[in-house]
Amino acid sequence: MLQVIGKRLLMLIPTLIGLSILLFVWVRSLPGGPATALLGDKATPEAIARINAAYGFDRPLLEQYFVYVGKLLQGDFGVSTVTGRPVLEEFATRFPATLELSLVALIFAIGIGIPLGYLAATHYGRFWDHSSVVLSLVGITIPVFFLAFILKWLFAIQLPWFPPDGRQNPRIDATHITDFYVLDGLLTREWDASWDALMHLVLPGIALGTIPLAIIVRITRASVLEVQGADYVRTARAKGLMEKTIRSRFVLRNAMLPVTTTIGLQTGLLISGAVLTETVFAFSGIGRFLRDAIFNLDYPVLQGFIIFIAIAYSLINLIVDVSYGFIDPRVRVQ
């Protein structure tokens, strides 16, 4: 297992090198050059010259690239042209909010998706099967931002069951230790703050988790249907094993490999796709910050976000590969 982890981490190096080259070329190919793009309407010849000297854009390209990579290795992702703060600092401030929202969406998608997909497969051709297929199709086709608006209008405005926006009621005097608001409330025993933060996560979590939920349902259903017809399952039934044992040990466990892959991919998409959800619910995470960076042409933030998502995807894929060994011992042998 340690060899697998080592190989996957080594594979991360050429991925990040290739990504750094693409980002380097992208910034240098901006209309008018990177200095003009950073300055926008303030791009006077004097200002452009100052930016070129400050960022080293007037140096040879090869030297610029090595300086750029050196800064990345030191954790220097640049400075936001809007806030004036380091990009890494901005991400560290907002990442807990996005991660907290993504975890709620993932729990919602997995907690409903796997049981519903398994139920559909075990009742193939009947009511539960047809209902799950229809619901999964609806979940995939509804745009996230539209669903977010519907949920907000219905359950926060018409039926004020949940807060309409934000992460926490500003009137609550909460102590923030980790910036994970639900966890902070539990650690400090401020139960009202923890509950309020959780209520703020319900609607955006459902909106963000609907598409992963629909995909997990379809993949689980198809995988369980395939495993149910396998020879080892028929052999287990012929030996007289209890149906409960067959379902848990032979069917569900072997059906989890493609489902685990899907969950890993969807986790990466949740972190990178929270832009619309966070915008609708005024949720102060990375997604909303990225939206502002796009509108303000904050290129250092965009670069940092792309690198951040690439690293996140690679680490999530590593976790998925390691989990294969625990789900199916045959993978460990390989």
Side-chain angles (χ1 to χ4, degrees), residues 96-160:
T98 299
L99 183 58
E100 196 172 44
L101 175 59
S102 299
L103 288 175
V104 170
L106 194 62
I107 292 171
F108 167 72
I110 295 174
I112 297 178
I114 292 179
L116 190 58
Y118 181 79
L119 189 65
T122 54
H123 294 76
Y124 179 71
R126 286 180 276 178
F127 172 76
W128 281 110
D129 184 29
H130 296 311
S131 299
S132 67
V133 171
V134 172
L135 289 175
S136 63
L137 287 174
V138 172
I140 293 175
T141 55
I142 294 180
V144 174
F145 71 91
F146 179 73
L147 178 61
F149 276 120
I150 292 297
L151 291 174
K152 183 175 180 178
W153 175 80
L154 183 60
F155 295 107
I157 298 176
Q158 298 299 319
L159 300 172

Side-chain angles (χ1 to χ4, degrees), residues 234-247:
R234 290 197 294 266
T235 303
R237 287 198 172 97
K239 288 182 177 180
L241 293 178
M242 295 178 61
E243 190 65 27
K244 181 180 179 181
T245 303
I246 294 173
R247 289 180 177 178

Side-chain angles (χ1 to χ4, degrees), residues 160-304:
W161 294 349
F162 299 97
D165 49 40
R167 293 188 65 191
Q168 199 170 54
N169 192 329
R171 290 177 294 181
I172 295 179
D173 186 17
T175 304
H176 296 147
I177 302 174
T178 65
D179 281 335
F180 293 93
Y181 285 6
V182 176
L183 178 61
D184 288 343
L186 296 176
L187 293 175
T188 58
R189 297 186 179 183
E190 297 173 348
W191 313 119
D192 58 334
S194 183
W195 176 255
D196 183 74
L198 183 61
M199 295 297 286
H200 277 80
L201 287 167
V202 172
L203 293 183
I206 292 174
L208 186 60
T210 299
I211 291 180
L213 166 65
I215 295 174
I216 290 172
V217 169
R218 298 299 296 270
I219 297 298
T220 304
R221 174 181 177 272
S223 184
V224 171
L225 284 174
E226 182 180 355
V227 171
Q228 282 186 147
D231 292 338
Y232 54 85
V233 175
R234 290 197 294 266
T235 303
R237 287 198 172 97
K239 288 182 177 180
L241 293 178
M242 295 178 61
E243 190 65 27
K244 181 180 179 181
T245 303
I246 294 173
R247 289 180 177 178
S248 61
R249 184 174 298 179
F250 293 93
V251 176
L252 192 57
R253 187 170 183 178
N254 286 283
M256 282 297 100
L257 285 178
V259 177
T260 303
T261 303
T262 302
I263 291 173
L265 294 174
Q266 294 303 313
T267 302
L269 290 175
L270 286 176
I271 297 175
S272 61
V275 178
L276 297 175
T277 305
E278 291 185 2
T279 300
V280 173
F281 289 99
F283 205 83
S284 56
I286 289 179
R288 190 179 177 196
F289 184 57
L290 178 64
R291 183 214 63 171
D292 296 338
I294 293 173
F295 282 111
N296 296 319
L297 300 179
D298 197 345
Y299 291 105
V301 171
L302 298 179
Q303 283 187 99

Side-chain angles (χ1 to χ4, degrees), residues 1-2 4-5 249 253-254 256-257 260 318-333:
M1 190 61 67
L2 291 176
V4 173
I5 295 175
R249 184 174 298 179
R253 187 170 183 178
N254 286 283
M256 282 297 100
L257 285 178
T260 303
L318 173 62
I319 295 172
V320 170
D321 290 341
V322 172
S323 67
Y324 286 164
F326 294 99
I327 297 173
D328 190 347
R330 295 172 298 178
V331 178
R332 260 180 275 175
V333 175

